[in-house]
Amino acid sequence: MAVSPSSSNCTFVQPELPDECLESIFKHLNNPYDHESLSLVSKHFLSLTNRIPTHLTISEGVLPLLPALLRRFTNLTSIKLNRKFTGDIDALLSQIFPTLKSLNCSRTRPDLVLIAECFPNLEEIDVSFTSEFEDTDLHVKALALTSGFKKLRKVDLSYTFFFKDSSLSTFFQNCVYLEAIAVDECSASKIAIANAIRQRPQLRSLEVKLTRGDVTLELIDTLASLKFLTFLDLSGSSLSNEALCSIAEGSLPLRELCLDSCKGYGVGGISCLLRKSNNLQCLDLQRTYFLNDECVMDLFLLLGNLKVVKLSANEKLTALSLYAIMRNCPLITEIRMDCTGVGKLQEDCLVVNSHLKFLYLAGNSGLDDESVTMIASVCPNLEMIDLTESCRRISKGAIDILWRCCKVQSMDLYSIGCDLPQFQFLVNFEIPTLFVLNLSVCTISDEEISLLSKSCYNLKELTLDFCDKITDNGVKQVVKNYKQLRRISLMCCPKVTCDVVAWMVFARPSLRKIVPPNFDSSDIDRQRDFFLRHGCFVLRNEDADYEFWGEDLDFLESHC
């Protein structure tokens, strides 16, 4: 710290960190909203934060803004075309930097010949589901993929019909750097897939979805030979115990394994594979028909290094499985047990797990206040909990999570208290860490939502769909108190008028996305472009099926 000699009063001058240090610090901020706050500090900080984004999702609405976005964010290396993009892809591609490394054009109609010409250094491309459109130039597309992308490291060919067996083999031959691939029977026959994969023994990630008959012996032997494979996804495939045991004999260094919706195998096969997968960190056994509590208790004794587990849609699983995971997997950070049989918990069976951050228990109607309170008591570092359709008989338990889990950032309480005749959601303590809250389909009143807005003053995303007691006054209290609010959804709130939308846009400049109470309002339609010029996207009727909190509309996040 320097002292100015020019004055008798000591003047302290803040030392300047090099830009490289500042940029590194900014990149380590977990919350993307922090980058916006930093960009408002000074022009210098704005220029530094402009270097951070590397990914952009492009939809119809972003096209007029694209030249400005590309001038502002010069380090973009990844582009995703929105699944509803119907614009001129050729014109779009001509605007993007030739240094692009990753392109996702899934569910669009890409000109692969033009893409190969524009982006010769492309390392990742997703062309999945592109053959759902009528196309007579499949051979041309296959040729473009085979000869035009020599530096590819990752490709998704799921549900495409570009290739015949011979062209798939040629593609694997030419892409010598290939490390990750997703493919299925639409792309080629099982034998051709096995032969093609065998040409790239350096593969680290493989997704193979084979739903027509059993996985062949040739493919299983090929999988077992991939000595660098760390990610394997066989979702929807028909497997046998023998197949899984054969893969196990390869002693693959698997870190992630996905067998979602697989059939044909049993406990013996999966046990054999897991016993040889000591470094497994992520396991997906969703929709596994034979899985029960006894299986989980036995299997998870083998998984001490597991960090993520997905067991949703297994109706035979109860709270005993949840106990087993928390007890046997001390490093677990994420548990997904949506639509299982998790119900009332027993306090003496639970163990404290300080690593658990994300817990998904949607669709477990047997949960009650006491059970949710117990979860809060043993998961002190919980950051996100999803109780969608599980919290119809819950009120106090949700408040206990907010009180006890001081790091909680996101809560999905869809339908909270619906089955309680005298439901109240009264929060009278500060919750500075809560950023995302869903209170859809509940009977929360204006008074309760106003009190909540004073407690969760840092909230950025709020969903109040189908809340029939909320009025314009309640919405205005929310918008006034949530000074950092970015997104709000008021879909089908009968007592909220569309007049409040314009008021929200101008009263809270931080707002970026609004789902209005009535999509068909002609007043909103007339003002939508005006709202957009003020940085706020108000959904129109045809946008109603977009994932509101997803990345489909995220172009405004990088623009505003």
Side-chain angles (χ1 to χ4, degrees), residues 149 174 252 343 370:
F149 300 100
N174 290 345
L252 306 180
E370 186 179 358

Side-chain angles (χ1 to χ4, degrees), residues 266-285:
V267 180
I270 188 62
S271 178
C272 179
L273 180 54
L274 295 182
R275 196 174 289 112
K276 290 294 188 72
S277 304
N278 298 324
N279 295 318
L280 202 64
Q281 296 182 1
C282 179
L283 177 62
D284 186 344
L285 294 177

Side-chain angles (χ1 to χ4, degrees), residues 86-340:
T86 58
D88 186 344
I89 294 181
D90 294 356
L92 168 67
L93 294 175
S94 65
Q95 300 181 61
I96 299 174
F97 309 126
T99 54
L100 193 71
K101 300 294 184 183
S102 175
L103 178 63
N104 185 335
C105 44
S106 176
R107 298 182 186 275
T108 63
R109 306 184 69 169
D111 183 341
L112 293 179
V113 176
L114 179 63
I115 291 173
E117 292 175 356
C118 292
F119 311 113
N121 297 318
L122 207 62
E123 296 180 2
E124 299 181 10
I125 189 168
D126 184 344
V127 292
S128 60
F129 294 94
T130 51
S131 293
E132 64 187 32
F133 304 101
E134 292 185 12
D135 201 328
T136 57
D137 296 325
L138 297 181
H139 174 70
V140 175
K141 288 189 174 185
L143 186 63
L145 267 177
T146 302
S147 59
F149 300 100
K150 298 295 179 66
K151 296 186 178 181
L152 277 184
R153 295 182 180 274
K154 182 177 181 180
V155 62
D156 190 340
L157 302 174
S158 303
Y159 300 99
T160 61
F161 300 90
F162 303 157
F163 294 105
K164 294 182 179 179
D165 289 0
S166 57
S167 55
L168 182 67
S169 177
T170 305
F171 172 71
F172 272 74
Q173 244 177 359
N174 290 345
C175 297
V176 295
Y177 301 108
L178 205 59
E179 295 180 347
I181 186 163
V183 67
D184 61 19
E185 286 169 300
C186 295
S187 308
S189 68
K190 294 174 184 176
I191 293 177
I193 291 173
N195 290 336
I197 292 173
R198 198 174 292 118
Q199 297 181 59
R200 297 273 70 89
Q202 78 275 19
L203 283 179
R204 298 178 182 275
S205 174
L206 180 62
E207 297 179 45
V208 182
K209 299 178 176 64
L210 304 176
T211 57
R212 305 170 189 168
D214 295 340
V215 174
T216 62
L217 181 62
E218 290 88 351
L219 181 57
I220 293 300
D221 289 343
T222 300
L223 294 180
S225 69
L226 300 175
K227 299 304 180 182
F228 299 97
L229 197 67
T230 59
F231 175 84
L232 177 60
D233 184 349
L234 297 171
S235 296
S237 301
S238 182
L239 302 164
S240 64
N241 284 333
E242 292 74 18
L244 292 180
C245 290
S246 296
I247 295 173
E249 290 175 6
S251 299
L252 306 180
L254 290 177
R255 292 183 179 274
E256 299 181 54
L257 175 64
C258 179
L259 300 178
D260 183 359
S261 303
C262 288
K263 55 187 178 181
Y265 72 98
V267 180
I270 188 62
S271 178
C272 179
L273 180 54
L274 295 182
R275 196 174 289 112
K276 290 294 188 72
S277 304
N278 298 324
N279 295 318
L280 202 64
Q281 296 182 1
C282 179
L283 177 62
D284 186 344
L285 294 177
Q286 297 179 98
R287 287 166 281 274
T288 302
Y289 72 96
F290 65 82
L291 211 58
N292 57 31
D293 289 334
E294 185 178 356
C295 295
V296 169
M297 286 187 278
D298 290 341
L299 293 176
F300 281 76
L301 290 172
L302 309 170
L303 301 171
N305 293 319
L306 202 66
K307 294 182 179 180
V308 177
V309 61
K310 301 177 183 180
L311 299 175
S312 298
N314 288 304
E315 296 179 356
K316 298 176 185 177
L317 301 186
T318 71
L320 294 176
S321 293
L322 182 61
Y323 304 151
I325 296 168
M326 294 182 67
R327 181 171 57 250
N328 297 322
C329 306
L331 303 179
I332 199 78
T333 60
E334 179 179 329
I335 298 175
R336 289 179 180 263
M337 292 186 68
D338 301 325
C339 301
T340 56

Side-chain angles (χ1 to χ4, degrees), residues 366-379:
L367 287 172
D368 58 13
D369 274 331
E370 186 179 358
S371 300
V372 175
T373 297
M374 287 182 201
I375 291 173
S377 67
V378 297
C379 303

